């Protein structure tokens, strides 16, 4: 009897190890790169601004948004992450990466060596981006000045520092689906939906998260605790923006000015620096999409947070 129990336990352990290995292994094949084509550098710049690349990857403390040497500290409940160098430097940046490796990193969260990236890198949103846009972004990044220097290692405690476990996290919280336009909506609405849900990765900050760090789908865009640890990120559904017009939203995205005359604060200042570089048409598209979001109640706010500003 004891031998039978032992055998069952061994088989169960072997099955558990097999499932773990299957769930946590990065994909070994890449079949998402398009055929060779002439990159559109203008679209690459648009993608750069829409994706907010400089907000995290520009060297802190200097004004040039294109010095992408990284180093910004990104605090989270799971530890502190440091934005990497994505300049074309061949040693410390992405200067030796191929286009396919870059697409895989941005849309799947997989490094050129096959390791999982931590989801502080918002590939959960970038997975919905068009591959052509990511290829154009890569082409644009290669035109920028290389910046030498390695950034600090992530300060993430056990067990969150085990990268292989991120495979399970991806299985839980990534669907791998490209953005699909809604035929019942206007072209401008679909452009806004695409920018907000993929490149703009707005839900990454403007949605509450569960204990594992995954976005709570039922409260997407409904605001919540600042993932960087201080303050409260506002609700950008019609629960929070019901008094804003599309014009108000577009103007805010261009200038950072709220309808009541106040200004954006916190990390939204960096976001505005990016979105203000987009075309007026893209900002109007984002505004149209946001204005269409139905009202959703967010998580209850602590009294202290409720007293702070509601700036998007």
């Amino acid at each position: 009897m004891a031998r039978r129990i032992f055998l069952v336990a061994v088989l169960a352990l072997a099955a558990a190890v097999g499932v773990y290995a299957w769930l946590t292994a990065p994909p070994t094949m890449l079949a998402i790169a398009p055929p060779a084509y002439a990159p559109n550098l203008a679209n690459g710049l648009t993608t750069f601004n829409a994706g907010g690349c400089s907000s995290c990857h520009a060297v802190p403390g200097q004004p040039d948004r294109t010095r992408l040497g990284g180093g910004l500290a990104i605090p989270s409940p799971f530890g502190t992450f440091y934005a990497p160098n994505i300049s074309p430097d061949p040693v410390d940046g992405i200067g030796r990466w191929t286009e396919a490796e870059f697409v895989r990193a941005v849309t799947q969260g997989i490094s050129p060596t096959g390791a999982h990236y931590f989801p502080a890198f918002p590939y959960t949103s970038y997975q919905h981006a068009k591959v052509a846009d990511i290829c154009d972004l890569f082409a644009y990044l290669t035109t920028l000045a290389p910046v030498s220097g390695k950034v600090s290692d992530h300060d993430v405690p056990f067990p969150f520092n085990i990268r292989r476990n991120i495979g399970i996290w991806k299985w839980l919280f990534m669907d791998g689906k490209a953005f699909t336009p809604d035929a019942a909506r206007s072209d401008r609405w679909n452009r806004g939906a695409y920018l907000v849900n993929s490149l703009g990765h707005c839900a990454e900050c403007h949605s509450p998260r569960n204990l594992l760090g995954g976005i709570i789908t039922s409260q997407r865009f409904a605001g919540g605790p600042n993932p960087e640890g201080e303050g409260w990120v506002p609700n950008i559904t019609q629960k929070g923006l019901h008094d804003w017009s599309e014009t108000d939203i577009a103007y805010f995205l261009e200038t950072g000015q709220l309808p009541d005359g106040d200004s954006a604060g916190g990390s939204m200042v960096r976001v505005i620096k990016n979105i203000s570089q987009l075309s007026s048409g893209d900002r109007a598209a984002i505004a149209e999409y946001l204005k269409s979001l139905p009202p959703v109640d967010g998580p209850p706010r602590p009294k202290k947070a409720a007293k702070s500003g509601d700036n998007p």
Side-chain angles (χ1 to χ4, degrees):
M1 182 67 176
R3 181 179 298 178
R4 183 176 299 174
I5 294 174
F6 176 76
L7 179 59
V8 170
V10 170
L11 291 175
L13 178 61
V17 170
V19 171
Y20 174 81
W22 174 68
L23 287 176
T24 60
T28 56
M29 298 294 290
L30 178 64
I32 56 177
Y37 76 109
N40 183 334
L41 292 180
N43 185 54
L45 175 59
T46 295
T47 303
F48 175 80
N49 289 321
C53 303
S54 67
S55 292
C56 287
H57 296 283
V59 176
Q62 54 82 43
D64 189 346
R65 297 172 62 247
T66 67
R67 288 185 55 79
L68 303 179
L72 179 72
I74 306 172
S76 81
F78 304 98
T80 301
F81 301 93
Y82 293 90
N85 185 329
I86 61 167
S87 79
D89 186 88
V91 177
D92 301 321
I94 62 171
R96 294 180 180 174
W97 288 30
T98 67
E99 179 187 79
E101 287 171 341
F102 183 78
V103 172
R104 186 186 197 195
V106 173
T107 61
Q108 296 184 4
I110 302 294
S111 76
T113 61
H116 291 295
Y117 283 125
F118 291 108
F121 179 17
Y123 48 76
T124 45
S125 289
Y126 294 157
Q127 66 174 325
H128 306 303
K130 300 173 184 176
V131 172
D133 283 346
I134 305 304
C135 292
D136 288 340
L137 172 61
F138 179 69
Y140 172 74
L141 293 179
T142 63
T143 69
L144 302 180
V147 180
S148 62
K150 291 187 178 296
V151 304
S152 301
D153 291 334
H154 299 310
D155 183 12
V156 181
F158 178 84
F160 307 119
N161 62 341
I162 301 176
R163 288 181 182 267
R164 188 158 183 122
N165 289 339
I166 298 171
I168 298 176
W169 190 94
K170 290 179 177 179
W171 180 74
L172 291 171
F173 301 115
M174 290 183 69
D175 60 20
K177 296 179 180 178
F179 172 77
T180 302
D182 185 343
R185 297 282 191 168
S186 67
D187 289 343
R188 191 170 77 167
W189 184 95
N190 277 299
R191 175 64 174 171
Y194 172 71
L195 291 172
V196 167
N197 289 292
S198 61
L199 300 175
H201 59 281
C202 304
E204 303 291 338
C205 286
H206 286 278
S207 305
R209 294 178 180 269
N210 58 31
L211 292 177
L212 295 178
I215 288 175
I216 299 174
T217 304
S218 63
Q219 293 181 309
R220 188 174 175 85
F221 300 120
N226 187 338
E228 295 186 1
E230 295 184 6
W232 195 264
V233 180
N235 189 321
I236 58 172
T237 72
Q238 283 308 288
K239 183 71 176 184
L241 298 181
H242 55 90
D243 290 333
W244 293 48
S245 67
E246 289 185 24
T247 300
D248 290 335
I249 297 172
Y251 186 72
F252 172 76
L253 296 176
E254 180 182 8
T255 66
Q257 298 296 307
L258 280 75
D260 63 5
D262 202 354
S263 300
S267 59
M268 194 65 196
V269 174
R270 300 197 305 267
V271 175
I272 295 296
K273 287 183 178 179
N274 298 313
I275 300 181
S276 64
Q277 303 299 311
L278 298 178
S279 69
S280 59
D282 277 347
R283 289 192 297 271
I286 292 172
E288 180 176 335
Y289 175 73
L290 291 179
K291 194 62 183 173
S292 75
L293 294 176
V296 177
D297 287 319
R301 299 181 58 173
K303 291 182 180 180
K304 184 177 180 180
K307 294 178 181 179
S308 63
D310 287 332
N311 298 352

